[in-house]
Amino acid sequence: MQLNLESPDFDYVLRGADGHLALVNDRRLSRSFIVAPRSLVEDWPVTDVRALDVDALEPVLALAPEVVLLGTGETQGFPPPAAMAACLSRGIGLEAMTNAAAARTFNVLASEGRRVVAAFVLSERDAPAGT
């Protein structure tokens, strides 16, 4: 059996993500960010999904998604109802999940040619004791 390596037909691939770090292509990110198949917005100022407001969603919505994947960190969390309503009122689906699940789902939807945008909330690692 012959195997062929196929490159994705989109610019940004999520190689992995947890609550503190993400690997987009070969770039390590340690601050919250937004990614679409052809766009990367670094330093998204959201640090807690529970405090996500409509203003913070504007850079996500500006990318014209049909679905938004909200990576909420190492554990699943949910944004306030107003943030969810901001998407739903525009006919945009919003799915909240762990960062690892959002990374996997983003790659699948992007490979299908969907207009997907993923927003990842990353938190800083606590400094080791004694430092």
Side-chain angles (χ1 to χ4, degrees), residues 53-121:
D53 62 21
V54 177
D55 289 339
L57 274 176
E58 285 307 317
V60 175
L61 300 175
L63 295 171
E66 63 181 319
V67 64
V68 172
L69 305 176
L70 181 59
T72 61
E74 286 185 294
T75 59
Q76 185 180 26
F78 296 95
M84 295 181 77
C87 290
L88 296 176
S89 67
R90 292 172 171 89
I92 300 168
L94 174 68
E95 296 291 333
M97 59 191 75
T98 66
N99 284 354
R104 291 187 302 268
T105 305
F106 172 83
N107 289 331
V108 169
L109 294 178
S111 71
E112 293 174 352
R114 301 276 303 271
R115 287 189 346 260
V116 60
V117 174
F120 287 82
V121 177

